[in-house]
Amino acid sequence: MLITYRSSLEGTLNIAESFEKNCWINMTAPSTEELAQVSQFCNIPMEFLRDPLDLEETARIQYDEETNCTLIIIDFPTIDMNYDQFDSYITIPIGIILGTDYMVTICSQSTGFLESLVRRNVNTSMKSRFALEILFLISTQYIEKLKQLNKQRHKIENNLRNSLTNKQLYDLMEIEKSLVYFLTSLKGNGDIITKLFRTHSVKLYEEDKELLEDVIIENNQGIETTELYTRILNSITGSYSSLISNELNNTMKTLTKFTVFLTLPTLVFSFFGMNVTLPIADQSPLSWMFTLIIAVLFIVLIGLAFRRRRIY
């Protein structure tokens, strides 16, 4: 899909029917024909359009001297469709291409957060500042998703206090996986954002530098928040692992006690049930009382021994 926008004199973005000078071309999962059309009309290298569509592409900046185009690839968070229990996240790349007369954003999936730019007063002719607006918007997306993950963690933690199930542990694993994606992508994005200060192909004015500093601050806040949530989650999982081990030890201790108490009467009754001469007359009607008393006596003695050693 391909949509072209151009800012009006009032600063609002309007959809353009064709490619115009200083317009913004937003491409989502484009077809081969659309890639060829944009590459030819806007004089953009084809690899600049194809690289951001690779989900394994890392964040980077690349400049092409022949076409005077700059490619910025950066990661943004999106919902993981493979997990439907709650909103788990992964990160995928998005490409921002700054050309001489055109600006292109391209991604393999829908970028709903870019729709908020349509409602803002932006100027597509100021390509560097417009690119920084997108970078700032991506950084704020991380903060919003982190807040949602933290709320979900609180919910799972409250459920864990009542009962511990495998589903809750799997949910915690999904949150931890999302945080790993976030931390890796935020650090990669931070390196790219810092390089913008030293990149001569991207012209920055004083106002742009101030916005770039805001982007760096927002990205660093995302890194610190992700690291904090990761430490909290590791602490929670470690604590519950200790609780599970403790519960297992208590269960095994209880079963061992029952085994000992049940084994003693069996030993006594087995001894007196042997076909040999015993001190108790086998014809006496009270003989079974003697064996029962001996079994109970053994149980009481072992119980007192356990109590003295504080095994209970």
Side-chain angles (χ1 to χ4, degrees):
M1 185 177 68
L2 186 153
I3 303 178
T4 304
Y5 297 94
R6 198 183 192 289
S7 57
S8 62
L9 297 177
E10 293 78 14
T12 58
L13 285 178
N14 299 319
I15 297 178
E17 296 181 356
S18 61
F19 297 153
E20 301 178 9
K21 188 176 181 180
N22 295 327
C23 68
W24 166 36
I25 304 172
N26 185 26
M27 307 178 71
T28 303
S31 62
T32 305
E33 292 76 12
E34 290 174 338
L35 291 175
Q37 180 185 7
V38 173
S39 176
Q40 182 179 3
F41 191 89
C42 301
N43 192 26
I44 297 176
M46 181 60 72
E47 59 270 18
F48 277 20
L49 297 172
R50 289 177 177 172
D51 288 350
L53 300 177
D54 183 6
L55 296 180
E56 303 299 327
E57 191 70 30
T58 57
R60 60 186 173 88
I61 297 179
Q62 184 176 347
Y63 175 68
D64 183 73
E65 295 182 357
E66 183 177 351
T67 58
N68 194 26
C69 290
T70 302
L71 170 65
I72 303 173
I73 298 180
I74 201 165
D75 293 333
F76 73 95
T78 184
I79 295 177
D80 185 5
M81 297 302 179
N82 296 324
Y83 195 78
D84 56 358
Q85 299 299 324
F86 61 90
D87 289 345
S88 176
Y89 297 95
I90 58 174
T91 56
I92 62 174
I94 181 175
I96 304 173
I97 304 172
L98 305 179
T100 304
D101 298 321
Y102 305 94
M103 175 177 171
V104 179
T105 55
I106 181 169
C107 186
S108 60
Q109 297 183 17
S110 176
T111 53
F113 62 91
L114 288 180
E115 296 178 358
S116 62
L117 291 174
V118 180
R119 298 185 294 269
R120 295 185 183 181
N121 293 329
V122 294
N123 191 345
T124 55
S125 61
M126 301 174 63
K127 303 178 186 62
S128 298
R129 185 170 184 84
F130 192 31
L132 293 179
E133 290 281 355
I134 296 176
L135 295 179
F136 184 81
L137 188 59
I138 291 175
S139 298
T140 57
Q141 284 291 304
Y142 280 101
I143 301 299
E144 293 178 4
K145 306 307 181 187
L146 283 170
K147 291 179 180 179
Q148 295 179 11
L149 285 175
N150 195 43
K151 290 180 180 179
Q152 187 64 38
R153 180 188 62 80
H154 279 297
K155 183 178 179 180
I156 297 173
E157 186 177 355
N158 292 331
N159 293 333
L160 279 173
R161 294 176 181 176
N162 299 325
S163 63
L164 181 63
T165 62
N166 290 335
K167 177 184 177 301
Q168 294 164 347
L169 295 178
Y170 286 137
D171 290 344
L172 287 178
M173 289 172 56
E174 284 297 320
I175 293 178
E176 186 176 9
K177 183 191 73 174
S178 300
L179 292 176
V180 171
Y181 272 110
F182 281 14
L183 186 59
T184 303
S185 298
L186 282 168
K187 288 185 177 180
N189 292 353
D191 294 337
I192 299 305
I193 294 171
T194 304
K195 286 182 181 179
L196 290 177
F197 276 113
R198 305 188 301 269
T199 302
H200 300 289
S201 60
V202 180
K203 297 181 180 180
L204 299 177
Y205 299 96
E206 289 300 323
E207 294 182 356
D208 298 336
K209 292 181 180 179
E210 293 179 1
L211 179 57
L212 181 57
E213 290 177 355
D214 293 337
V215 175
I216 293 176
I217 293 173
E218 198 76 10
N219 190 82
N220 290 337
Q221 181 182 352
I223 293 175
E224 294 174 358
T225 305
T226 305
E227 291 177 342
L228 174 62
Y229 289 169
T230 301
R231 289 195 297 268
I232 293 175
L233 189 60
N234 291 336
S235 176
I236 292 174
T237 53
S239 300
Y240 278 101
S241 296
S242 300
L243 288 176
I244 293 173
S245 299
N246 189 39
E247 289 292 334
L248 179 61
N249 292 335
N250 291 335
T251 302
M252 295 301 298
K253 184 185 294 185
T254 302
L255 292 176
T256 303
K257 293 175 188 176
F258 278 110
T259 302
V260 171
F261 286 135
L262 292 176
T263 302
L264 291 175
T266 304
L267 291 174
V268 174
F269 297 149
S270 299
F271 177 76
F272 284 98
M274 293 187 297
N275 190 18
V276 295
T277 303
L278 297 173
I280 301 176
D282 56 354
Q283 301 296 331
S284 175
L286 299 178
S287 58
W288 68 275
M289 291 291 297
F290 287 106
T291 57
L292 184 61
I293 292 172
I294 294 173
V296 173
L297 182 61
F298 273 114
I299 293 176
V300 172
L301 291 176
I302 293 298
L304 291 175
F306 281 173
R307 184 174 183 180
R308 177 173 294 182
R309 293 178 178 271
R310 297 181 179 179
I311 297 179
Y312 288 113

